[in-house]
Amino acid sequence: MENLSRRRLLTLGAALGLAGVAAPAHAWASTGPAAAAGDGTGPQWIWDDRADPLMASMLENGHVPAINTAWEPWVGNSDPLPGGLPAEFAAYLRQVNRLPSWADPAKLDRAADFNRRRDMYLFMLYGLGSGIMSTVIPREARSVYWSAGGANMQDRAAKTFTFGYDLSQLGAFRPQGQFVVTANKTRVVHAAVRHLLPQSPHWRAVADESVPISAADILVTFHSLGTYVHRKLLDWKVPFPAADQEAFLHSWQVAVHLLGVPDEHIPQTWAQAEAQSAQVLTPILTPTPEGVALAGELLGLTAQIDLGVTRGFLNEFVRYVLSDAVGDWLGLKRDYVSAALVRTAWPAYILFREGLSPVMPGAFYAIDQMVRGLAMLFLNKGASGTTTPITIPTGNRAG
């Protein structure tokens, strides 16, 4: 169970990738160090000057299949770069595959320990909160649905599970960890999608942007993950010392940096992050046909295994951690018996786990079984307990 618990982060949320929604033009200037958006210098006008032209070249010259083969065994932060990579691509990885100078090892270690201690809450919030929230972020839902990964959500979930698993490991950012490599592979995948998705007539027909996954998009997704989880833990009154909060934020700051977001646009405090999130995330949540389909697929995957709980329980937990409005948008059928159970059992579950109540809720084992089942479902379809290869796409979803 201990090994499994370290793999629980970011399953459904990771399945939807790290592409968000561009914000209202004024919002990025209102908090933190972000530059004014109205002058065309805000993060919604920034993509990835390093990775984007490189991956356009790799795709156009047919190098991606060879790269996917060569870098499959390259997983550890201390692993040497594999042979067989195009010289230009290898040179790029040598430049970016490192922590920023401002990364604080002590904070990163504390964040990893926090993830281990709070893995149950994080899993449920990332998976059934952030993951389903992303299906009502219009640009994100459309980009995911029409990219190659959108055609096979279970496979996509298994591949991108690695991002959250590696981020949650003890020593994730140290030489023995894997997250630095995982983040840089993800950054390359983003660059490939930026080149490929504009070629999809299906995506162009519904998109309100010409290039997906801007720095603003990644920041909005950070708010749907890190900022959202931070707020929910406080709302649930889970013990969350200031040092843990600071470390948790720092791990996300480093992660966002590794994904290519310029440092000046990364929130420096939780107050900045929450104020920004209120402006750029909450107002744009709305359903799309693509998002409704993705949510149905993701929640439907759980029918493949015996979780000991009903689909109604999952639907009601989503409503509990997001809202009835989101549940209605996604057409999640009501189950009022499960709704009552969730709203009474989950707070009691937290009290019991935190040693604040001697009474174990009757649904304790059902919740625990659900977490185990969902985690294994997304670990490479239950076949891998460590990592799942991250591969660069070469096309989009077919119509």
Side-chain angles (χ1 to χ4, degrees):
M1 182 64 182
E2 176 66 19
N3 288 336
L4 175 62
S5 68
R6 296 180 184 177
R7 306 180 187 122
R8 289 173 174 165
L9 300 179
L10 212 61
T11 51
L12 297 179
L16 295 173
L18 287 172
V21 176
H26 67 280
W28 296 105
S30 60
T31 61
D39 61 5
T41 62
Q44 68 269 39
W45 304 106
I46 297 172
W47 287 269
D48 195 328
D49 289 342
R50 279 185 166 184
D52 290 353
L54 172 69
M55 290 315 301
S57 173
M58 295 296 104
L59 285 161
E60 291 170 358
N61 290 289
H63 294 311
V64 167
I67 292 173
N68 282 332
T69 299
W71 82 355
E72 182 173 352
W74 180 56
V75 294
N77 295 339
S78 62
D79 289 351
L81 285 181
L85 296 174
E88 184 182 5
F89 189 80
Y92 161 80
L93 290 180
R94 278 192 290 269
Q95 292 174 353
V96 301
N97 196 55
R98 64 189 67 179
L99 292 175
S101 60
W102 46 264
D104 185 327
K107 289 182 181 179
L108 295 176
D109 286 346
R110 186 175 186 118
D113 183 62
F114 167 78
N115 288 335
R116 177 186 60 82
R117 288 182 282 113
R118 297 289 182 256
D119 56 6
M120 174 68 75
Y121 312 134
L122 295 175
F123 171 76
M124 298 299 283
L125 287 172
Y126 281 139
L128 295 177
S130 301
I132 302 304
M133 185 198 302
S134 62
T135 69
V136 293
I137 299 176
R139 288 187 177 177
E140 180 164 359
R142 289 165 178 153
S143 294
V144 169
Y145 186 88
W146 290 112
S147 65
N152 187 338
M153 288 307 295
Q154 183 165 337
D155 182 65
R156 183 185 179 96
K159 285 182 168 62
T160 54
F161 188 100
T162 299
F163 189 95
Y165 170 53
D166 291 346
L167 177 61
S168 71
Q169 279 187 308
L170 291 174
F173 295 88
R174 291 188 175 275
Q176 68 270 27
Q178 300 180 0
F179 183 74
V180 178
V181 169
T182 295
N184 277 291
K185 285 186 175 183
T186 303
R187 179 177 178 179
V188 165
V189 170
H190 286 174
V193 171
R194 289 190 195 99
H195 180 71
L196 292 168
L197 205 51
Q199 301 174 33
S200 166
H202 309 289
W203 179 78
R204 292 199 308 269
V206 295
D208 61 352
E209 58 186 338
S210 57
V211 181
I213 319 180
S214 68
D217 297 340
I218 296 173
L219 285 167
V220 168
T221 300
F222 154 67
H223 291 310
S224 75
L225 291 160
T227 307
Y228 164 76
V229 167
H230 174 260
R231 171 46 49 194
K232 293 299 287 187
L233 290 177
L234 293 177
D235 290 345
W236 286 350
K237 303 188 186 315
V238 174
F240 204 174
D244 283 352
Q245 294 185 49
E246 185 177 358
F248 185 60
L249 174 61
H250 189 65
S251 69
W252 273 104
Q253 290 169 329
V254 175
V256 170
H257 167 92
L258 291 174
L259 292 175
V261 175
D263 292 348
E264 62 267 25
H265 295 297
I266 301 174
Q268 298 301 298
T269 66
W270 279 122
Q272 290 179 5
E274 292 196 12
Q276 194 178 82
S277 178
Q279 291 182 313
V280 304
L281 173 62
T282 306
I284 51 80
L285 297 177
T286 194
T288 61
E290 292 85 359
V292 172
L294 290 174
E297 288 182 52
L298 289 169
L299 290 171
L301 288 174
T302 61
Q304 300 179 32
I305 54 178
D306 180 11
L307 299 175
V309 296
T310 66
R311 171 63 185 269
F313 183 94
L314 294 176
N315 286 355
E316 292 299 335
F317 199 92
V318 170
R319 288 176 175 271
Y320 176 65
V321 296
L322 293 179
S323 69
D324 282 332
V326 171
D328 291 344
W329 288 344
L330 298 175
L332 303 184
K333 293 182 179 179
R334 297 306 311 260
D335 182 332
Y336 292 103
V337 173
S338 292
L341 177 63
V342 168
R343 284 161 172 74
T344 56
W346 185 252
Y349 180 80
I350 292 176
L351 289 174
F352 180 75
R353 277 184 59 92
E354 296 303 320
L356 301 175
S357 170
V359 180
M360 183 176 71
F364 183 92
Y365 290 110
I367 294 173
D368 190 63
Q369 186 178 3
M370 178 179 66
V371 172
R372 291 189 191 200
L374 286 171
M376 290 307 299
L377 175 64
F378 289 102
L379 277 173
N380 199 17
K381 302 181 182 179
S384 170
T386 55
T387 189
T388 305
I390 296 175
T391 54
I392 305 167
T394 57
N396 298 306
R397 181 179 188 148

